[in-house]
Amino acid sequence: MRYLFWTLIGILLLAQLIAYALWRIAFRSPNRRQNDDYHLADTEQFRPLQKTITGMIDRLNAIPFERVWIRSFDGLELSGRYYHHADGAPLAICCHGYRGTPSRDFSGGAILYRKLGFNLLLIEQRAHLKSKGNAITLGIKERRDCLAWIDYGIRRFGEDTQIVLSGISMGAATVLLVSGMQPPKNVKGIIADAPYTSPKAILQSVLKGLKLPVRLVYPFLRLGTWLYSGVDLSDPSADVLCAVKRSPVPILLIHGEADRFVPCEMSRAIAAAAPDRVTLETFPNAGHGLSFLSDQPRYEAITKAFLTRVLKAPDEQEPAAILQTEESGRKEASANL
C-alpha cells in the first residue's frame, strides 16, 4: 500500500514537472528575442522579405509617440504607444501576435491607419515589452485587457469616439473574442489578420505540424496553463467561432492561403460562423501575417472599403502629407528635449 502511495506521488510530481517544462517553453514570457523588434522569422517565406520589413519597422519607430498605461483586471500595468493624428479622428486599437511586438507586427498596418486618418493605439500585450506579467494566454486573458484599452480610449477621447479593433495572429483571435463580449457601441468594426479558431485548436495544429503526439502532449500543456497561468486552454468561452456568432460587430478577416502556422481554413470556419457579418479576403501564396506585403495595393483597398462602410469615413491623407506630419512630429519632439 505504501509502495502504491509513493508511486502515485511520483507520477503526479513527474506530470507536474512535464507540465511546467512545456508551459515554460510555450507560454513563459518575456524573453529577450521576443522583445526585439528586429528578431524576424528565419524561414523560407520570411527570408526574402526581411529587408522590406526592417525598413518598415525603422519608419514606424522613427515616428514620435506617447507612452500610455492602464491597469489590467488582475492588477498588471499594461503599456501602449499612442500616435495622435487629429482631435475627433477615429481610433484604431491594434493587438500584436504571440511573442510579437507592435513595431514588427504592425510595421505596415500602422502606417496604413495613419494614412487613412486614424488616431492609433498600439498596445503591448501582457508579458511583452513594457507590459507586466509572465505568461501568454493566447487571448484568454488578453481579451479582457483589450476591453480595458477600449474603455481607456472612450474615457480619454469621448463617448462618441469611433473605434476599430485590429489584430494579427494571436491579436486577431483576441479582438474576435472581444467581439462576443458585448463591447461598447463605440466599436464599429474589427479587422483580424490570420486568426485561429481557439487556443486549443491552434496548439493542436502546431503540435501536429511538429509531428508530436497531440493526445499525449496537449493534456500536459493544458495542465501547465491551469497550474501556472490560471487559465484553461479548452475554456469554451475562448472559442472564437462562438464569439463571432454572438458578435454584433462587422468583421473583416484577412488570411494568407500559404499560411503554415495558422491554417487559412481557420478563417474560413470563422467566416462561415456568421456570414452576414463577416467578410473574408484571402491572399494567394501569402505566408503567416504576410498578406500586406504580398499585395499591398489590394490589402489597402480592402481595408479602406471596409472602414468606409463601417465608419463615418475618415479622410485619407496623401503619402506626402503623411511624411510632412511625421517630420513635424520629429521637429516637435526635438524641441521638447
Side-chain angles (χ1 to χ4, degrees), residues 91-132:
L91 176 67
I93 299 177
C94 300
C95 302
H96 65 76
Y98 171 86
R99 288 182 172 157
T101 73
S103 293
R104 190 193 315 151
D105 291 359
F106 283 94
S107 55
I111 299 299
L112 174 57
Y113 282 117
R114 285 171 57 82
K115 179 179 177 181
L116 293 174
F118 280 77
N119 292 329
L120 181 64
L121 177 59
L122 300 181
I123 71 171
E124 295 175 358
Q125 300 265 38
R126 61 172 52 221
H128 293 75
L129 297 162
K130 293 185 181 298
S131 289
K132 302 302 183 183

Side-chain angles (χ1 to χ4, degrees), residues 46-103:
F46 272 84
R47 209 172 292 125
L49 299 170
Q50 286 186 345
K51 186 175 181 180
T52 300
I53 296 171
T54 298
M56 293 193 305
I57 293 171
D58 287 340
R59 182 183 177 190
L60 178 57
N61 284 342
I63 303 171
F65 62 87
E66 176 191 352
R67 175 68 60 182
V68 294
W69 302 89
I70 63 170
R71 191 164 294 278
S72 71
F73 70 96
D74 52 352
L76 298 177
E77 266 195 340
L78 303 178
S79 177
R81 295 161 50 167
Y82 173 68
Y83 299 80
H84 187 72
H85 167 69
D87 293 346
L91 176 67
I93 299 177
C94 300
C95 302
H96 65 76
Y98 171 86
R99 288 182 172 157
T101 73
S103 293

Side-chain angles (χ1 to χ4, degrees), residues 67-297:
R67 175 68 60 182
V68 294
W69 302 89
I70 63 170
R71 191 164 294 278
S72 71
F73 70 96
D74 52 352
L76 298 177
E77 266 195 340
L78 303 178
S79 177
R81 295 161 50 167
Y82 173 68
Y83 299 80
H84 187 72
H85 167 69
D87 293 346
L91 176 67
I93 299 177
C94 300
C95 302
H96 65 76
Y98 171 86
R99 288 182 172 157
T101 73
S103 293
R104 190 193 315 151
D105 291 359
F106 283 94
S107 55
I111 299 299
L112 174 57
Y113 282 117
R114 285 171 57 82
K115 179 179 177 181
L116 293 174
F118 280 77
N119 292 329
L120 181 64
L121 177 59
L122 300 181
I123 71 171
E124 295 175 358
Q125 300 265 38
R126 61 172 52 221
H128 293 75
L129 297 162
K130 293 185 181 298
S131 289
K132 302 302 183 183
N134 67 357
I136 302 167
T137 66
L138 298 182
I140 298 174
K141 289 185 178 180
E142 289 83 356
R143 58 186 165 165
R144 295 181 66 180
D145 298 339
C146 186
L147 277 175
W149 281 114
I150 294 169
D151 290 341
Y152 166 85
I154 295 170
R155 288 196 313 272
R156 175 167 176 175
F157 302 110
E159 294 292 331
D160 59 348
T161 301
Q162 297 185 99
I163 295 175
V164 169
L165 303 181
S166 181
I168 185 166
S169 193
M170 183 184 82
T174 299
V175 295
L176 291 176
L177 288 173
V178 170
S179 77
M181 299 174 70
Q182 298 183 334
K185 293 182 179 179
N186 304 70
V187 178
K188 303 299 183 182
I190 291 175
I191 300 177
D193 189 326
Y196 46 78
T197 50
S198 70
K200 177 181 178 180
I202 188 57
L203 284 171
Q204 291 183 333
S205 176
V206 169
L207 291 173
K208 288 178 184 176
L210 295 173
K211 302 189 184 307
L212 294 173
V214 176
R215 290 185 178 181
L216 178 62
V217 177
Y218 178 75
F220 286 105
L221 282 170
R222 185 179 179 187
L223 175 62
T225 56
W226 180 70
L227 289 173
Y228 304 110
S229 300
V231 299
D232 181 2
L233 291 173
S234 297
D235 183 350
S237 73
D239 188 307
V240 172
L241 299 178
C242 293
V244 169
K245 287 178 183 178
R246 296 192 302 268
S247 171
V249 184
I251 295 168
L252 171 62
L253 298 180
I254 296 172
H255 215 122
E257 294 178 14
D259 193 327
R260 297 174 184 171
F261 185 67
V262 180
C264 189
E265 287 71 21
M266 290 194 175
S267 275
R268 294 193 177 102
I270 295 168
D276 57 326
R277 290 186 307 282
V278 180
T279 301
L280 171 62
E281 298 284 353
T282 64
F283 284 71
N285 305 315
H288 184 61
L290 297 177
S291 295
F292 180 87
L293 290 173
S294 73
D295 190 343
Q296 186 173 337

